[in-house]
Amino acid sequence: MSSNVEQDIDIMYGLKTVLSRIEIAVSKRSKDLPQIVPTLIAVSKIKPASLIIQAYEAGQRHFGENYVNELSEKANDPQILELCKDIKWHFIGHLQTNKINKLLQSPKLYIVETVDSAKLADNLNKQWEKFRQGDERLRVMVQVNTSAEEAKNGIEPSETSTLVKHVLENCPNLNLKGLMTIGQYDYDVSLGPNPDFLLLAKCREEVCQNLNLDINDVELSMGMSADYEHAIELGATSVRVGSTIFGARPLKK
């Protein structure tokens, strides 16, 4: 990417805009929902280290990546290691078993948001012992396929409690933080609340009821650049925003 393109992107302005919109969305959120301040995850996929450093210097700490190789490369980037000591990497893509070690070796890996099977949970649980610092458990989220689309990963909504229970009872090295969904793209909000977001919130209620968990301890990662405000109004505790901060990504060839 040429430096001219980078200069055209005002990261500070993008971040400020998103954070102020998050605040407005929080003020519209139902008082019945957990009153958790939502975390902004800046999705930096295919963006250069220089823009990540700019966002970090503007106060952003949580960054999301979809591909293990890219997260690993950025997490090990000498400049990022030197200048972004408190960076927190979220893995938000599909995780293949053969990439687990590479992911877990990445410095400052904060959470894996895409656990979609007991097998993957077991593998992460087993491998984390090699890489963890001290007694810190690996934060994870269970990914739910709320839109029933073949192309999307995640477990069936009806299986959410079963997988959460498996993580809690059989994976002592994992720290379950909540549920995540991608949901369908370009949902038209004029048709009413996004059913994918409502369904993830419903999955959380069922999980908390079935397993006797405190709803305030179970986060919801949902919403992206196009719909993060709507997601927050429906209970999102973290949103994944890329293009609004970093500028549009080039279209796939």
Side-chain angles (χ1 to χ4, degrees):
M1 190 186 271
S2 74
S3 55
N4 297 352
V5 177
E6 286 177 36
Q7 279 159 6
D8 291 345
I9 299 166
D10 187 341
I11 300 270
M12 179 88 91
Y13 175 75
L15 277 171
K16 270 196 180 138
T17 307
V18 174
L19 290 168
S20 66
R21 285 184 185 163
I22 285 176
E23 237 171 272
I24 293 165
V26 165
S27 69
K28 296 179 182 170
R29 184 170 61 182
S30 158
K31 294 292 172 266
D32 299 335
L33 289 163
Q35 299 302 302
I36 295 166
V37 179
T39 301
L40 169 60
I41 300 156
V43 179
S44 45
K45 78 174 177 194
I46 81 162
K47 298 298 177 185
S50 56
L51 290 185
I52 293 169
I53 292 164
Q54 271 185 47
Y56 185 92
E57 285 172 350
Q60 180 61 24
R61 290 295 176 266
H62 293 264
F63 291 83
E65 288 288 340
N66 289 63
Y67 299 106
V68 171
N69 289 353
E70 196 173 349
L71 189 150
S72 169
E73 195 181 309
K74 288 174 176 169
N76 284 291
D77 181 281
Q79 275 197 298
I80 289 178
L81 283 169
E82 186 192 342
L83 299 171
C84 310
K85 300 263 191 251
D86 196 26
I87 198 165
K88 295 173 169 66
W89 291 108
H90 292 237
F91 184 70
I92 55 175
H94 179 55
L95 181 56
Q96 294 159 308
T97 313
N98 62 349
K99 292 276 176 78
I100 287 177
N101 281 1
K102 186 167 194 177
L103 178 65
L104 297 186
Q105 280 170 345
S106 305
K108 308 291 184 184
L109 175 68
Y110 181 74
I111 189 169
V112 177
E113 293 200 9
T114 46
V115 173
D116 59 1
S117 68
K119 184 183 164 207
L120 182 58
D122 290 340
N123 272 307
L124 285 167
N125 180 61
K126 189 171 146 219
Q127 301 302 332
W128 185 241
E129 287 192 29
K130 290 189 221 163
F131 304 112
R132 69 158 163 218
Q133 310 293 314
D135 20 337
E136 194 182 14
R137 294 181 296 154
L138 174 67
R139 297 175 192 84
V140 295
M141 286 186 160
V142 162
Q143 182 178 4
V144 185
N145 186 348
T146 50
S147 53
E149 292 170 88
E150 296 255 320
K152 298 238 166 74
N153 296 298
I155 53 159
E156 301 272 327
S158 60
E159 294 168 10
T160 310
S161 287
T162 310
L163 183 50
V164 167
K165 185 172 195 259
H166 177 83
V167 172
L168 293 173
E169 291 181 356
N170 303 301
C171 302
N173 297 316
L174 304 184
N175 178 2
L176 184 95
K177 299 306 283 185
L179 309 177
M180 178 265 209
T181 192
I182 293 172
Q184 70 180 82
Y185 299 120
D186 302 329
Y187 172 76
D188 180 359
V189 182
S190 71
L191 301 171
N194 186 324
D196 290 324
F197 298 162
L198 292 175
L199 181 52
L200 195 69
K202 184 168 171 272
C203 287
R204 173 171 67 178
E205 277 174 31
E206 286 172 4
V207 162
C208 291
Q209 247 174 339
N210 295 341
L211 304 176
N212 201 13
L213 302 176
D214 181 345
I215 198 164
N216 295 292
D217 296 336
V218 183
E219 298 184 25
L220 296 182
S221 174
M222 60 188 193
M224 298 191 263
S225 281
D227 53 16
Y228 66 92
E229 295 151 280
H230 180 59
I232 287 169
E233 287 180 45
L234 296 181
T237 61
S238 64
V239 291
R240 309 178 298 270
V241 180
S243 49
T244 315
I245 298 168
F246 292 110
R249 284 193 282 269
L251 295 169
K252 286 181 179 164
K253 298 267 192 302

